[in-house]
Protein backbone atom coordinates (compact mmCIF):
# COMPACT_ATOMS: atom_id res chain seq x y z
CA UNK A 1 0.00 0.00 0.00
CA UNK A 2 1.00 3.61 0.43
CA UNK A 3 2.23 3.17 4.02
CA UNK A 4 5.86 4.25 4.05
CA UNK A 5 8.65 2.65 6.02
CA UNK A 6 10.07 5.09 8.57
CA UNK A 7 12.09 2.75 10.77
CA UNK A 8 11.85 -0.24 13.05
CA UNK A 9 13.20 -1.78 16.23
CA UNK A 10 14.74 -4.71 14.34
CA UNK A 11 18.31 -3.77 15.26
CA UNK A 12 17.49 -2.91 18.90
CA UNK A 13 17.75 -5.36 21.81
CA UNK A 14 14.30 -4.82 23.37
CA UNK A 15 13.57 -5.34 27.07
CA UNK A 16 9.94 -6.23 26.29
CA UNK A 17 8.07 -7.10 23.07
CA UNK A 18 6.31 -4.56 20.87
CA UNK A 19 2.55 -4.81 21.45
CA UNK A 20 1.06 -1.80 19.67
CA UNK A 21 1.47 0.70 16.87
CA UNK A 22 -0.20 3.98 15.95
CA UNK A 23 0.27 6.15 12.86
CA UNK A 24 0.61 9.92 12.93
CA UNK A 25 -2.27 11.85 11.33
CA UNK A 26 -0.02 12.75 8.38
CA UNK A 27 0.80 9.11 7.67
CA UNK A 28 4.47 10.07 7.61
CA UNK A 29 5.39 8.46 10.90
CA UNK A 30 4.36 6.08 13.63
CA UNK A 31 4.96 5.00 17.18
CA UNK A 32 5.62 1.51 18.46
CA UNK A 33 4.95 0.66 22.12
CA UNK A 34 6.40 -2.23 24.12
CA UNK A 35 4.56 -4.08 26.87
CA UNK A 36 6.48 -2.08 29.51
CA UNK A 37 5.33 1.19 27.91
CA UNK A 38 8.63 1.96 26.22
CA UNK A 39 7.93 4.06 23.11
CA UNK A 40 9.78 4.18 19.80
CA UNK A 41 9.11 7.09 17.43
CA UNK A 42 9.74 7.02 13.68
CA UNK A 43 9.25 9.53 10.84
CA UNK A 44 7.36 12.63 11.98
CA UNK A 45 6.18 10.94 15.20
CA UNK A 46 7.45 12.84 18.23
CA UNK A 47 8.23 11.39 21.64
CA UNK A 48 5.68 12.61 24.21
CA UNK A 49 6.56 10.34 27.13
CA UNK A 50 6.42 6.71 28.20
CA UNK A 51 5.86 4.37 31.12
CA UNK A 52 9.16 2.59 30.45
CA UNK A 53 10.62 3.61 33.81
CA UNK A 54 7.44 2.91 35.81
CA UNK A 55 6.38 -0.31 37.52
CA UNK A 56 3.04 -1.17 35.96
CA UNK A 57 0.32 -3.29 37.60
CA UNK A 58 -0.34 -4.96 34.22
CA UNK A 59 1.41 -4.78 30.83
CA UNK A 60 0.57 -2.32 28.07
CA UNK A 61 -1.40 -4.05 25.29
CA UNK A 62 -2.17 -1.25 22.84
CA UNK A 63 -2.00 2.41 21.91
CA UNK A 64 -3.76 5.08 19.86
CA UNK A 65 -2.74 8.49 18.52
CA UNK A 66 -4.50 11.69 19.53
CA UNK A 67 -6.32 13.47 16.72
CA UNK A 68 -3.55 16.05 16.31
CA UNK A 69 -0.61 13.66 16.55
CA UNK A 70 0.54 15.76 19.50
CA UNK A 71 0.11 12.85 21.88
CA UNK A 72 -0.96 9.26 22.38
CA UNK A 73 -2.65 6.91 24.81
CA UNK A 74 -1.54 3.52 26.09
CA UNK A 75 -3.95 0.94 27.49
CA UNK A 76 -2.91 -1.79 29.91
CA UNK A 77 -4.48 -5.25 30.09
CA UNK A 78 -6.33 -4.25 33.29
CA UNK A 79 -7.97 -1.28 31.51
CA UNK A 80 -5.65 1.41 32.86
CA UNK A 81 -5.11 4.36 30.50
CA UNK A 82 -1.95 6.47 30.21
CA UNK A 83 -2.06 9.71 28.23
CA UNK A 84 0.91 11.69 26.95
CA UNK A 85 1.22 15.01 25.13
CA UNK A 86 -2.23 16.37 24.25
CA UNK A 87 -3.96 12.98 24.73
CA UNK A 88 -6.47 13.77 27.48
CA UNK A 89 -7.70 11.21 29.99
CA UNK A 90 -11.39 10.37 29.47
CA UNK A 91 -11.59 7.41 31.82
CA UNK A 92 -10.32 3.89 32.23
CA UNK A 93 -11.97 0.46 31.92
CA UNK A 94 -10.88 -1.33 35.08
CA UNK A 95 -12.90 -3.90 36.98
CA UNK A 96 -13.59 -6.76 34.55
CA UNK A 97 -12.44 -10.36 34.65
CA UNK A 98 -11.74 -10.14 30.90
CA UNK A 99 -8.42 -8.52 29.94
CA UNK A 100 -8.22 -5.54 27.63
CA UNK A 101 -6.64 -6.36 24.25
CA UNK A 102 -6.49 -2.97 22.53
CA UNK A 103 -7.92 0.47 21.88
CA UNK A 104 -8.87 2.81 19.04
CA UNK A 105 -9.13 6.61 19.05
CA UNK A 106 -12.34 8.45 18.21
CA UNK A 107 -12.14 10.27 14.86
CA UNK A 108 -12.23 13.67 16.54
CA UNK A 109 -9.46 12.70 18.98
CA UNK A 110 -11.70 13.48 21.95
CA UNK A 111 -12.11 9.93 23.18
CA UNK A 112 -11.34 6.28 22.65
CA UNK A 113 -12.82 2.80 22.62
CA UNK A 114 -11.29 0.08 24.76
CA UNK A 115 -11.79 -3.56 23.66
CA UNK A 116 -11.74 -6.61 25.95
CA UNK A 117 -10.95 -10.22 25.06
CA UNK A 118 -14.64 -11.19 25.35
CA UNK A 119 -15.53 -8.68 22.61
CA UNK A 120 -17.03 -6.10 24.93
CA UNK A 121 -16.21 -2.45 24.35
CA UNK A 122 -15.95 0.50 26.70
CA UNK A 123 -16.35 3.95 25.15
CA UNK A 124 -14.87 7.04 26.74
CA UNK A 125 -15.14 10.68 25.70
CA UNK A 126 -16.68 11.16 22.25
CA UNK A 127 -16.12 7.58 21.06
CA UNK A 128 -19.41 6.28 19.62
CA UNK A 129 -20.91 2.93 20.54
CA UNK A 130 -20.51 1.03 17.28
CA UNK A 131 -21.49 -2.38 18.60
CA UNK A 132 -20.05 -5.23 20.60
CA UNK A 133 -19.27 -8.89 20.06
CA UNK A 134 -20.52 -9.96 23.50
CA UNK A 135 -23.04 -12.78 23.22
CA UNK A 136 -21.96 -13.76 19.71
CA UNK A 137 -20.42 -17.03 20.91
CA UNK A 138 -16.98 -16.25 19.54
CA UNK A 139 -15.43 -19.47 20.78
CA UNK A 140 -12.06 -17.76 21.14
CA UNK A 141 -10.89 -14.45 22.56
CA UNK A 142 -10.55 -11.21 20.61
CA UNK A 143 -6.84 -10.43 20.38
CA UNK A 144 -6.60 -6.92 18.99
CA UNK A 145 -8.23 -3.88 17.47
CA UNK A 146 -7.30 -1.39 14.78
CA UNK A 147 -9.19 1.62 13.43
CA UNK A 148 -10.37 5.09 14.20
CA UNK A 149 -13.94 5.21 15.40
Amino acid sequence: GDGGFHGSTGAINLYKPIVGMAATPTGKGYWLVASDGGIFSFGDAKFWGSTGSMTLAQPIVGMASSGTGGGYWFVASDGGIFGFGDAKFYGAAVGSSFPVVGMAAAKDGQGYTIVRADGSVVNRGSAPLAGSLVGNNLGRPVVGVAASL
Side-chain angles (χ1 to χ4, degrees), residues 65-67 73 88-91 104-114 122-130 148-149:
S65 170
S66 71
W73 296 279
K88 294 179 184 173
F89 179 76
Y90 294 101
K107 282 185 182 179
D108 65 3
Q110 303 300 308
Y112 39 81
T113 296
I114 303 164
V122 177
N123 298 300
R124 297 290 186 240
S126 66
L129 179 57
S148 288
L149 303 172

Side-chain angles (χ1 to χ4, degrees), residues 113-116 118-123 128-138 142:
T113 296
I114 303 164
V115 180
R116 291 194 176 108
D118 68 341
S120 64
V121 297
V122 177
N123 298 300
L129 179 57
S132 171
L133 295 174
V134 171
N136 286 318
N137 231 356
L138 297 174
V142 173

Side-chain angles (χ1 to χ4, degrees), residues 63-104:
M63 73 175 300
S65 170
S66 71
T68 66
Y72 40 77
W73 296 279
F74 300 161
V75 64
S77 65
D78 63 358
I81 296 286
F82 302 87
F84 299 92
D86 68 0
K88 294 179 184 173
F89 179 76
Y90 294 101
V94 296
S96 172
S97 60
F98 293 99
V100 168
V101 296
M103 72 182 307

Side-chain angles (χ1 to χ4, degrees), residues 40-67:
F40 303 89
S41 303
F42 300 97
D44 67 355
K46 294 191 176 11
F47 178 80
W48 299 108
S50 75
T51 60
S53 64
M54 296 172 62
T55 300
L56 301 174
Q58 293 294 316
I60 301 299
V61 294
M63 73 175 300
S65 170
S66 71

